[in-house]
Amino acid sequence: MRKKIDKAKAFLAENRQLFRCPICHKSFVQESYTLKCEENHQFDLSKKGTLYFLKSHNQSEYNHEMFSHRQVMIKSGMYRKMLEKLIPFVQEKENIIDIGCGEGSFLTELTHLGMSGTKIGFDLSKDGIYLASNQPIEAFWCAADLTNLPFADQSADCLLNIFSPSHYAEFQRVLKPNGLVVKIVPETGYLRELREAFFPNNQAKQSYSNEKVIEKFSQSLAVVADERITSVFEIPQKKRLDLLEMSPLEWQADPKIKEVLKQNPLEKVTIDLRMLVGRVR
């Protein structure tokens, strides 16, 4: 079996043209395990087969532990309905980039549902990319900045933007003509039971709105689809503690409340999402 670094080297040999230097924006040549641009900016593959495109070290609050719990919940089928709605828009795309891929579980689940094509995932978190490199699919993983994507102009057929921020100027630059952005944002009822349990006396924490995010999407792209996806997920007993640790909500909760919840975890939770699909005007 080939090492991960050798698989990544082969991927770059076939797909080097999809990338550009994030420092000078020039194209790359490949020299063994390295991408080097005309200005001699150099990016080396790690032993895990990942590339680190960031100019400086970025400390992310999204760490190995949180991503591990998130992976467990995604694999358990928590977002199955959403992924089934999403798959028709991505399954026949040639080059797919997952914007803010975390530990890569969504790319893996979509692959299992029939998505083919060349798959690239990137995230600001090195912990997320480290975990993603262990995913059982053919994909390339890198650490990069959303506001300065290391991808060439018109290199992507589809951008996945699941629970992640957006930068529409960069999205428009890297998308091919007629390329799609598929964005998933939480709706008002998302994880309602968890919010109510974590913040029993805080109405502001129990509800929120993403209307400004949705409005910005429609201003930036021609909307192809706009659908609300709602379900109630029955949490497998062995996964109930993972739910408590998979979300940034946990960081803000009272430790005493968290301990009570660990003794009596939730049995079900509401999944309330908005799927937005758009293309460059």
Side-chain angles (χ1 to χ4, degrees):
M1 181 181 294
R2 284 193 302 172
K3 295 179 180 179
K4 291 177 182 178
I5 191 172
D6 290 317
K7 288 182 179 181
K9 176 184 175 183
F11 177 92
L12 292 177
E14 294 182 10
N15 299 285
R16 170 182 51 79
Q17 75 283 356
L18 299 179
F19 299 88
R20 78 171 193 183
C21 178
I23 299 174
C24 66
H25 301 162
K26 301 289 181 64
S27 59
F28 282 121
V29 295
Q30 182 180 2
E31 298 179 359
S32 189
Y33 299 102
T34 297
L35 287 182
K36 183 180 290 187
C37 73
E38 299 171 22
E39 301 295 329
N40 287 321
H41 300 124
Q42 181 174 316
F43 301 89
D44 302 318
L45 285 169
S46 73
K47 292 181 180 179
K48 299 279 284 184
T50 60
L51 269 179
Y52 190 71
F53 281 114
L54 297 169
K55 296 179 183 178
S56 59
H57 178 69
N58 287 268
Q59 185 65 39
S60 172
E61 293 178 312
Y62 291 79
N63 58 27
H64 186 283
E65 182 179 2
M66 195 202 78
F67 282 125
S68 297
H69 292 296
R70 189 180 94 138
Q71 178 171 262
V72 169
M73 295 308 298
I74 293 172
K75 287 186 175 182
S76 71
M78 183 172 174
Y79 299 100
R80 178 79 181 193
K81 185 175 181 181
M82 177 267 284
L83 293 168
E84 289 174 345
K85 292 283 188 178
L86 192 155
I87 192 68
F89 296 100
V90 302
Q91 61 185 353
E92 295 181 357
K93 296 300 182 183
E94 183 179 352
N95 296 323
I96 301 142
I97 300 174
D98 189 357
I99 307 286
C101 67
E103 81 298 332
S105 299
F106 284 128
L107 271 186
T108 295
E109 295 303 307
L110 287 167
T111 300
H112 293 335
L113 288 173
M115 184 178 73
S116 55
T118 300
K119 293 177 278 287
I120 300 173
F122 85 88
D123 201 279
L124 188 65
S125 169
K126 290 183 72 175
D127 283 352
I129 295 304
Y130 182 89
L131 284 170
S133 68
N134 296 319
Q135 292 289 351
I137 59 171
E138 293 295 324
F140 187 83
W141 311 99
C142 51
D145 182 356
L146 172 69
T147 67
N148 183 29
L149 298 176
F151 308 116
D153 295 355
Q154 298 188 5
S155 57
D157 296 281
C158 182
L159 302 178
L160 295 176
N161 193 211
I162 303 175
F163 301 141
S164 296
S166 302
H167 193 287
Y168 292 108
E170 280 291 85
F171 289 5
Q172 292 163 351
R173 180 183 66 78
V174 303
L175 275 176
K176 294 180 182 179
N178 296 317
L180 295 180
V181 176
V182 181
K183 185 172 181 65
I184 301 291
V185 298
E187 268 287 1
T188 54
Y190 181 61
L191 303 184
R192 176 176 56 81
E193 296 83 355
L194 186 61
R195 290 178 180 277
E196 291 174 353
F198 273 157
F199 313 111
N201 302 311
N202 190 329
Q203 290 293 325
K205 294 284 188 182
Q206 290 181 21
S207 62
Y208 64 99
S209 171
N210 264 320
E211 285 304 312
K212 290 184 179 179
V213 175
I214 295 167
E215 183 180 353
K216 179 66 173 178
F217 185 93
S218 62
Q219 290 173 350
S220 304
L221 300 165
V223 178
V224 174
D226 180 349
E227 183 175 353
R228 191 165 182 170
I229 305 166
T230 304
S231 61
V232 175
F233 180 64
E234 301 285 342
I235 309 166
Q237 186 171 2
K238 293 182 179 180
K239 311 293 175 61
R240 290 173 184 169
L241 293 181
D242 290 291
L243 176 71
L244 304 180
E245 306 286 349
M246 66 161 280
S247 164
L249 290 172
E250 183 265 340
W251 304 337
Q252 308 164 41
D254 186 319
K256 293 180 181 179
I257 291 177
K258 287 191 288 185
E259 285 304 313
V260 171
L261 273 174
K262 287 180 180 180
Q263 300 304 315
N264 187 27
L266 297 173
E267 298 179 6
K268 61 183 180 180
V269 68
T270 299
I271 308 300
D272 186 15
L273 306 170
R274 189 78 164 264
M275 179 180 72
L276 301 164
V277 183
R279 65 173 82 250
V280 179
R281 289 190 174 95

